[in-house]
């Protein structure tokens, strides 16, 4: 009896040790998954830090200089602003393919109202901002009220706005010298200032402030919670008392306004008003959003992640350029990151389910 008891005790002890090991193992994975689920910006932040370290080791002071690091911010400022607008829409499980066209036509309105109609630059800027907001509002109304698919609505709007942009501007570029001489306000967000060895633009300052404000609003206000709720499950949100239609319209309208600010920053960045600028903003904004960890299925992600996603693209672009690598390597690595980001999102959703 004694031997049997000893055997059973040893067996139970061994099984309990195995059980404890399994629980610890699951606990570690569970904690990691929980961190990714509650902090979506964690993965892009890790990738961003790793990329900075790798390029820093390869390039040394050429990459770690204040000028080089702030140059990344200058290069991604337009994409970052447009990606912030795209983030709001994707959080509602939608997509906006017209963001780039809205940014460009807003800049064209600002330029044409100033030089064609002779309006004060401040009034012209306000008109451009209103034009972007109006187009975004129309997108939201078609999606929320008419129940049309966001992809189709914004694809059609992209074509309409793009055509209107060329027709209205007569494919005419307003040159940098004219703007600088007669309406420097249009180039305001491109104005540079130095802090030590770092060089910033007002567009970069606007991007950072925009990200911080949106991060706070999405996390700490009722409207922000409604945005996530609509993206997660619009029917459940409706039953919970959320005005889904009003939320969607406000999201698309705000996205249009943010894109209009991007159009203003675009004038400052390139110096001129050109109807052919910003051709890749649609794709680049979606790239930043996806790499930034915002789920294309809606309801999960953070605006900070999008900011990190835009910076990742900027770091890879500048780092590979300084290394003398072919530009195609940038597209290859960014493509890998996009697929990896979607795979991580699917894994998080699968484990959560």
């Amino acid at each position: 009896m004694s031997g049997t008891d000893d055997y059973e005790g040893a067996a139970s002890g061994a099984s309990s040790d195995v059980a404890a090991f399994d629980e610890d193992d699951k606990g570690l994975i569970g904690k990691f998954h929980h961190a990714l689920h509650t902090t979506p910006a964690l993965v892009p932040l890790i990738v961003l830090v790793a990329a900075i370290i790798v390029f820093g080791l390869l390039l040394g002071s050429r990459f770690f200089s204040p000028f080089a690091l702030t140059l990344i911010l200058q290069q991604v400022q337009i994409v970052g602003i447009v990606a912030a607008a795209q983030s709001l829409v994707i959080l509602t499980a939608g997509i906006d393919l017209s963001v780039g066209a809205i940014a460009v036509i807003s800049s064209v309105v600002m330029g044409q109202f100033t030089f064609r109609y002779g309006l004060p630059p401040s009034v012209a800027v306000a008109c451009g901002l209103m034009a972007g907001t109006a187009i975004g509002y129309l997108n939201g109304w078609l999606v929320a009220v008419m129940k049309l698919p966001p992809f189709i609505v914004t694809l059609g709007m992209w074509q309409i706005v793009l055509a209107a942009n060329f027709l209205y501007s007569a494919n005419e570029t307003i040159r940098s010298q004219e703007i600088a001489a007669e309406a420097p306000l249009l180039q305001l967000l491109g104005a540079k200032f130095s802090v030590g060895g770092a060089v910033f633009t007002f567009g970069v300052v606007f991007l950072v402030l925009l990200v911080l404000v949106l991060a706070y609003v999405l996390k700490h206000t009722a409207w922000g919670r409604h945005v996530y709720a609509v993206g997660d499950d619009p029917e459940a949100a409706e039953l919970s008392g959320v005005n889904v239609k009003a939320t969607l319209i406000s999201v698309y309208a705000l996205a249009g306004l943010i894109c209009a600010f991007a159009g203003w920053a675009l004038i400052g960045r390139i110096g001129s008003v050109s109807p052919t600028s910003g051709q890749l903003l649609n794709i680049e904004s979606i790239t930043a959003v996806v790499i930034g960890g915002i789920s294309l299925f809606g309801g999960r992600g953070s605006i900070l992640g999008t900011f990190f996603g835009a910076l990742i693209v900027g770091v890879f672009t500048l780092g590979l350029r300084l290394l003398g690598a072919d530009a195609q390597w940038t597209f290859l690595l960014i493509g890998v990151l996009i697929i990896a980001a979607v795979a991580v999102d699917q894994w998080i959703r699968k484990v959560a389910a």
Side-chain angles (χ1 to χ4, degrees), residues 121-213:
S122 57
V123 176
V125 168
C127 290
L129 296 178
M130 288 189 290
T133 306
I135 297 170
Y137 181 93
L138 180 57
N139 279 337
W141 184 83
L142 291 171
V143 170
V145 179
M146 301 302 293
K147 305 293 184 183
L148 299 179
F151 182 89
I152 302 301
V153 167
T154 58
L155 177 63
M157 191 61 70
W158 169 59
Q159 297 280 5
I160 293 169
V161 174
L162 196 63
N165 173 35
F166 285 107
L167 291 171
Y168 177 65
S169 66
N171 205 14
E172 168 184 287
T173 297
I174 302 173
R175 293 179 301 172
S176 177
Q177 297 88 336
E178 296 178 64
I179 298 174
E182 300 180 39
L185 179 65
L186 297 183
Q187 297 176 335
L188 174 65
L189 295 183
K192 296 180 180 180
F193 62 94
S194 298
V195 179
V199 180
F200 298 92
T201 65
F202 287 108
V204 168
V205 174
F206 176 80
L207 169 60
V208 173
L209 290 176
L210 175 67
V211 169
L212 293 176
V213 169

Side-chain angles (χ1 to χ4, degrees), residues 45-284:
L45 177 59
I46 293 172
V47 174
L48 176 62
V49 172
I52 291 174
I53 292 173
V54 169
F55 284 117
L57 292 173
L58 292 174
L59 294 165
S61 59
R62 291 172 61 200
F63 185 80
F64 271 130
S65 68
F67 176 78
L69 293 177
T70 50
L71 180 61
I72 294 171
L73 283 170
Q74 292 181 44
Q75 291 176 336
V76 304
Q77 62 181 319
I78 309 299
V79 173
I81 295 170
V82 176
Q86 188 74 262
S87 297
L88 294 175
V89 176
I90 290 180
L91 282 174
T92 64
I95 195 166
D96 192 342
L97 299 178
S98 65
V99 286
I102 293 174
V104 175
I105 200 169
S106 298
S107 70
V108 168
V109 167
M110 294 176 191
Q112 293 294 332
F113 276 37
T114 300
F115 289 92
R116 182 185 295 181
Y117 307 128
L119 293 177
S122 57
V123 176
V125 168
C127 290
L129 296 178
M130 288 189 290
T133 306
I135 297 170
Y137 181 93
L138 180 57
N139 279 337
W141 184 83
L142 291 171
V143 170
V145 179
M146 301 302 293
K147 305 293 184 183
L148 299 179
F151 182 89
I152 302 301
V153 167
T154 58
L155 177 63
M157 191 61 70
W158 169 59
Q159 297 280 5
I160 293 169
V161 174
L162 196 63
N165 173 35
F166 285 107
L167 291 171
Y168 177 65
S169 66
N171 205 14
E172 168 184 287
T173 297
I174 302 173
R175 293 179 301 172
S176 177
Q177 297 88 336
E178 296 178 64
I179 298 174
E182 300 180 39
L185 179 65
L186 297 183
Q187 297 176 335
L188 174 65
L189 295 183
K192 296 180 180 180
F193 62 94
S194 298
V195 179
V199 180
F200 298 92
T201 65
F202 287 108
V204 168
V205 174
F206 176 80
L207 169 60
V208 173
L209 290 176
L210 175 67
V211 169
L212 293 176
V213 169
L214 288 179
Y216 176 84
V217 169
L218 287 171
K219 189 172 183 179
H220 297 288
T221 67
W223 181 83
R225 289 190 291 272
H226 292 173
V227 170
Y228 280 101
V230 170
D232 190 45
D233 189 336
E235 293 181 2
E238 190 81 56
L239 293 173
S240 301
V242 175
N243 190 332
V244 174
K245 290 181 181 179
T247 301
L248 284 173
I249 291 174
S250 66
V251 163
Y252 280 89
L254 179 57
L257 175 61
I258 294 171
C259 288
F261 273 105
W264 187 11
L266 186 61
I267 299 174
R269 177 66 180 162
I270 65 176
S272 59
V273 176
S274 173
T276 60
S277 60
Q279 296 295 321
L280 297 177
L281 283 175
N282 295 339
I283 299 300
E284 290 173 340

